[in-house]
Amino acid sequence: MAPAAGATILHADLDAFYASVEQLLDPSLRGKPIAVGGGVVLAASYEAKAFGVHGAMNGRRARQLCPQLIFVDGHFSEYTKFGDAVMAVLGDFTPWVERVSIDEAFLDVSGSTHLFGTPAEIAQQIRARVRDEIGLPISVGVATTKHLAKVASQVAKPDGLVVVQPGEERAFLDPLPVQLLWGIGPATTRKLSEAGIHTIGELHAAEPERVQRLLGTAVGEKLGFLAANEDPRAIETSRRAKSVGAQSALGRRVVTEQLLQETLGFLADRVATRLRAGGHAGRTVTVRVRFRDLRAITRSRTVDEAISSTSTLRTVCVELVKTALADNPREREVSLLAISVSNLANESELQLALGLGDDDRNEGEPPAIDRIEHPPRALDEAMDRARARFGRDAVGFATVVFRDGAGVPDAFRELAEKDR
C-alpha cells in the first residue's frame, strides 16, 4: 500500500523489549537495572541503560558501570509469545501492518480513521491496549513516511508518542543528531562529526558531493534522501525473504585458519538451517569482513546451482573471506564476520554440484572451487529433525559445537536475526 497523504504512517516499537518482558514475568525486577545474559549483555532495561549498560557489552564491564545490575536468563519462547500478542493488537486497527522485527512494525492507518479517529488517537489507543492487555510499554511515532515515523518513535522513547504533522518535518528533523537516521552507526557518525556534521539539519544542508566523497556515493545518496525526508517506500504486509544472513562480532581477533573455520562454520550453520526451514536455497553468497579500524569490505559470488547445504556454504564463505583478506594483506585482525545468501528460490530438490568456473574470477582471486565434497543432503535433513525434536544443541558440526567464544545463546540469535 503506497503512503497516503497526511501523517498516517505509524511506527510502533516496544521499549527495551527483552528486559521489559523479564520485568513483567518477575514483578520484583520492576524499576531495577537488569540485563538479560551473563558473560555478554544481550539486552538491558532502561534503568541499566542509565548507567551506560547496553547490548553486546561485556558482562564484567556492565557490572563495573552498574554494581547493582541484576543478570537474568532469557525466556526466549516468552519473547515470541509477547511479540505476537502485540502484533495481534496492531492488526485490530488496520490490515496494513508490516512487521519488521519481533518487537516493531509499521502501520498505515489512512483507511481506519473513520473507525478509530485520527492517527494520533489511534496511536494512543494502541499504546493503551498494549499496556493494559499485555503489560508492556510501547513507543509510537506518527508521520508522513516510514523513515520519519521511525525517527519519531525513537524520539518518543521511552513509552511515549510523537506526532510529526505535514509541514513540520524540517522543524522536527533539523535539530536531531545524525545517528537517529536509519542506517547510521558509530563509524559513520564519527566520520560525519569529524567533518563538522552533527545534526540532521547540517547533513541536509551539506553539499551532496561532499557527503558522497566522505561516505561513498551509495551511502551518501541514501543518507541525503533520508535527511530530506524523501522516502517513497510503501507498507508491505507480506514480506518475502530477500536474503538470509547472520553475523558474529569478534572484538579484535588475529586471523587464523581456526578462527575462519569455526566462525564461518557457525554462521553457515545458522544461515543454512534457516534456509532449509523456509524451503529456500540461494545462488548468491556474500561475506562481510570488518577490520579493527571498523573499515568493512564485502565479497560475493553467484553460483550456478542454488545451495542450502551447511558444509557447502561454509566452504564458499571461507574462500570468499580469504579472497578479501588477500586483497588487504596489511590487515591482521578482524572485528566482525558476516555472511548472507540472496537470490533465493524455492527448491524441493537441490543438485549438489557447484558450477564455479574461472571465467568471472576477479584478478588476484584464488582459483575457483571446481569440486567440493558434499555430505549427503540426508545428513542436513537428519540434523534438522534431531534439533527440532531435542533442541539445537542436540547435534551439530564439531567445528561449530566446540568453537571458542560461543557467548550468545542460539535462541537469542534466532530472535534477533531476521530474514530481509
Side-chain angles (χ1 to χ4, degrees):
M1 184 175 185
T8 60
I9 304 298
L10 278 59
H11 181 257
D13 193 2
L14 289 156
D15 298 320
F17 176 56
Y18 303 113
S20 294
V21 170
E22 297 300 333
Q23 291 174 323
L24 180 61
L25 295 174
D26 184 354
S28 69
L29 298 175
R30 292 177 183 174
K32 297 179 181 179
I34 71 167
V36 180
V40 176
V41 175
L42 305 179
S45 67
Y46 277 101
E47 295 85 357
K49 289 179 180 180
F51 289 87
V53 178
H54 57 78
M57 176 177 283
N58 178 276
R60 180 179 298 177
R61 175 57 178 162
R63 288 186 178 90
Q64 291 174 343
L65 292 173
C66 181
Q68 63 269 47
L69 185 65
I70 301 171
F71 275 91
V72 298
D73 294 330
H75 294 79
F76 302 105
S77 62
E78 295 294 325
Y79 301 154
T80 299
K81 182 181 75 175
F82 280 105
D84 291 345
V86 171
M87 296 303 148
V89 171
L90 303 183
D92 286 344
F93 290 90
T94 175
W96 296 99
V97 178
E98 178 184 345
R99 187 174 187 174
V100 293
S101 73
I102 191 173
D103 59 348
E104 64 175 315
F106 289 102
L107 303 80
D108 189 315
V109 298
S110 57
S112 305
T113 54
H114 66 291
L115 295 173
F116 304 108
T118 67
E121 291 170 339
I122 292 174
Q124 288 283 25
Q125 293 173 60
I126 288 173
R127 296 185 61 245
R129 282 193 56 185
V130 171
R131 170 67 77 177
D132 295 342
E133 298 175 17
I134 302 173
L136 292 174
I138 188 168
S139 295
V140 181
V142 183
T144 54
T145 65
K146 291 170 70 173
H147 159 65
L148 191 57
K150 183 173 176 67
V151 174
S153 73
Q154 305 313 299
V155 174
K157 287 182 175 295
D159 196 18
L161 168 64
V162 168
V163 180
V164 184
Q165 297 290 359
E168 299 177 356
E169 293 90 350
R170 289 262 56 91
F172 173 73
L173 281 173
D174 284 353
L176 296 177
V178 290
Q179 54 263 40
L180 285 182
L181 286 179
W182 212 334
I184 290 190
T188 302
T189 299
R190 185 174 63 252
K191 288 182 180 179
L192 291 172
S193 178
E194 291 171 352
I197 299 174
H198 306 280
T199 68
I200 296 176
E202 291 170 343
L203 178 60
H204 177 59
E207 290 290 333
E209 294 78 8
R210 179 190 176 205
V211 177
Q212 292 172 26
R213 285 196 302 271
L214 190 66
L215 304 177
T217 302
V219 174
E221 286 183 349
K222 174 187 174 183
L223 295 183
F225 286 133
L226 294 181
N229 192 36
E230 296 180 19
D231 182 10
R233 292 172 305 157
I235 299 294
E236 301 177 18
T237 56
S238 59
R239 291 170 56 86
R240 181 182 177 186
K242 297 179 181 179
S243 68
V244 178
Q247 67 180 33
S248 180
L250 302 172
R252 285 173 51 180
R253 298 284 297 276
V254 176
V255 177
T256 64
E257 181 70 21
Q258 180 180 353
L259 176 68
L260 297 184
Q261 293 291 342
E262 290 181 352
T263 305
L264 294 173
F266 166 70
L267 297 177
D269 187 32
R270 297 214 58 81
V271 170
T273 299
R274 288 161 55 201
L275 282 170
R276 295 191 298 270
H280 295 133
R283 290 183 170 82
T284 300
V285 180
T286 302
V287 300
R288 180 168 177 258
V289 182
R290 191 176 71 193
F291 299 113
R292 57 179 293 183
D293 62 356
L294 300 184
R295 182 174 64 90
I297 60 173
T298 61
R299 293 292 184 270
S300 64
R301 181 169 298 178
T302 298
V303 299
D304 291 339
E305 304 292 341
I307 60 174
S308 65
S309 160
T310 298
S311 179
T312 301
L313 180 57
R314 178 188 61 193
T315 300
V316 175
C317 289
V318 168
E319 291 301 324
L320 285 173
V321 170
K322 287 182 177 180
T323 296
L325 295 172
D327 292 339
N328 295 267
R330 295 184 178 181
E331 300 290 350
R332 295 288 184 267
E333 296 180 340
V334 294
S335 61
L336 178 141
L337 292 174
I339 73 174
S340 67
V341 177
S342 56
N343 197 5
L344 302 185
N346 294 321
E347 295 198 0
S348 57
E349 293 185 3
L350 302 176
Q351 295 184 15
L352 296 181
L354 276 177
L356 295 176
D358 286 342
D359 293 342
D360 60 350
R361 181 161 55 97
N362 295 327
E363 184 177 355
E365 279 189 19
I369 308 167
D370 293 318
R371 283 186 108 115
I372 296 179
E373 292 296 329
H374 303 279
R377 179 167 174 75
L379 175 59
D380 282 328
E381 293 174 343
M383 288 177 55
D384 293 340
R385 289 194 298 270
R387 287 170 166 176
R389 183 174 180 181
F390 301 109
R392 187 171 183 86
D393 295 334
V395 64
F397 291 95
T399 54
V400 174
V401 173
F402 299 109
R403 73 190 189 284
D404 292 332
V408 178
D410 283 347
F412 189 85
R413 294 180 186 272
E414 290 169 0
L415 293 174
E417 294 168 356
K418 293 295 178 183
D419 301 349
R420 293 172 292 279

